[in-house]
Amino acid sequence: MLAKLCNINLFYSLFFSVGSSLLSIVLYFIFKKKKSAIHLFGISVFLTFIAYGIFITNINEDLQKTNHFSHAIDKDHASQTITFRIRERLKPNAFSQRYYVDILKLNTKKVKGKALINIRKDSLNRPIPIDAVYLSKTNIIAIKAPLNPDQFSYKAYLEKQQIYYQIYTNQHDILELKSEISTAFGYAARFRNYINKKLSEYEYSDDQLSIINALILGQRQNITKEVYDNYTNAGAIHILAVSGLHIGIILLLLNVVLKPIERIKNGKLIKTIILVILLWTYALIAGGSASIIRATTMFSIVAIGLNLKRPTNIYNTLAISVFVLLLIKPNFLFDVGFQLSYAAVISIVSFQPILERFWSPKYKLTKLLWQTLTVTVSAQFGIIPISLYYFHQFPSLFWLSNLIVIPFLSLILGLGLVVITCALLGVPKSFVSEIFGTIINWMNQFFAWISNQEDFLILDIPFTLLQVIVSYALIFSVYQLFIQKNYTWSRLTLVSIIVLQLTYLLNQYYTNGDSFLVFHKNRTTLIAKKHNNQLAIYSTLKNAETNTIIRSYAVKNALQPIASKPVNALYKLKDKHILIVDSLGVYNVKNIKIEYVLLTQSPKLNLERLIDSLKPKAIIADGNNYKSYITRWHQTCKKQELPFYQTGKTGAFIIRY
């Protein structure tokens, strides 16, 4: 975190690391026998770890490497000759097929670095295989930040993947090159394609096949938006992401299958080695995503601990896996999946034993259901604050989704692996494959039903970073209170509750005040007036209050949107006036001082005459204008030495008053 916040130079971070290491060694020998000031050695070691954390983060930053392609971009020429290798296929959007690529050459210079490529969709488009190498003469563009406040930043998301640039092209403008190099990811992709080819013989529907791919092979690109939203709204999206739950179940299944190996000499060691190899082979086949790598690292350590019969502490196991992962990929720390997965596991191992003691069922079925419920509820203690902060929604029927599906997930995964094995062996369509397809259908229908219970899905919940921190302080205090049951933790729990309440009052305080916002949206006029916690919307769109731009801004700022109205010609902001000039180009204003003029819907007007007659302080052009008009207006304002704001470049225009 310090490396990101302070932007410390690579040389200085190396110097700090070496210096603190030497200091720790010196202090070790000084205080080896004399223990009176041993805390100085502890502080030195602590600082050493921080120093190495900063250094490792810096050396993992691709942009700081001299061979990164960004240093070879020819800024004098718009297009570059780019040679790239396909690294990973992403979910396509409405316009493009999208891939992560490794840049191999820029013009004639060998370079390194990752980028995002968008290949325009057409009827002949087919998915490009992983490891294929292509050449294209096109632009390479820096990924832009969102133009509206509090919008999801795809730029920030991609930066965590070390991707800072993107390419736009089409299928006809890329030329495939011969390449004999194949990576492990390429082999894994070809194996997945072979599995899908064999599964197609079982005549599964597209929805069934997409869920099988997500559930077992870790590929979610082909899931329809409707099905994906159903799983999300039901609080069961983790089922479709191969992660700790899946790897844990597979570890248990493999542990049972490989049990006979323990009978031979050094059987436990051999079994452990095979277990770890199989886990990592599966992780590779499933795509090697961040969530899979995290889960496999954690459960590899668990597998070693289980089979060597060593006394283990689950918190130490988790800490080791976190430490190893962050040494390799420090940016995982800022990954939402990383935060959610570890928060869930830590919460389960902490709270589940406490909740399980509340009831001891007699029968095996009720015991299984009770354990599932306690695990599900325990996980929520850990993930609710993070989920509310990032996603601003809470599926209150999550317990029902997990209670029904989780007990059978081992069976579903096991049956899925059997079906895939049968398909690979050429076994024809059978009762087993039919049953598996039916189960997938039932699962899809069940989550669709849960998702349709809209009264139980709480949306648009404002939640700040401060509230996340205070919530975890409260959760930790409650946990310690259950463990120790003393006055100190009772007091801290009550203090945490009061502080959490104060954060809501603080949010309300910050919402006070008025502002006028001109949002950027292509081919649409979108204006809002904020008065304290109310947000009035004026737009050419119907029901603009449900638009993503408005919802994001309202939720992040704890505002209540008011049903949208048509755009007015004039807005008064205390002693200021804003004139809206639309396609009619009419601006009959008398005896009113105009501070700002908003041009929208491409009005045909003489801007020089308008400026001379109204003498505004600034001209604003939103996204609902022709680009040629905006260019002409910009030149006019430049000539008149008047500020010109184009929301398509400068972002949303905000006036606070």
Side-chain angles (χ1 to χ4, degrees), residues 89 127-130 186-200 213 217:
R89 181 173 170 244
I128 299 174
I130 306 300
Y187 286 121
R190 286 192 284 276
F191 185 56
R192 286 195 301 271
N193 291 337
Y194 182 68
I195 290 172
N196 276 291
K197 183 181 175 182
K198 289 293 185 180
L199 285 174
S200 64
N213 269 275
L217 300 177

Side-chain angles (χ1 to χ4, degrees), residues 8-18 51-52 54-55 58:
I8 299 169
N9 182 277
L10 180 62
F11 173 77
Y12 287 122
S13 61
L14 176 60
F15 179 77
F16 184 27
S17 302
V18 174
Y52 276 104
I54 294 169
F55 176 65
N58 282 338

Side-chain angles (χ1 to χ4, degrees), residues 329-348:
K329 291 281 185 183
N331 276 350
F332 275 168
L333 184 63
F334 305 99
D335 185 85
V336 182
F338 180 91
Q339 296 166 12
L340 285 172
S341 61
Y342 277 101
V345 174
I346 291 168
S347 188
I348 288 168

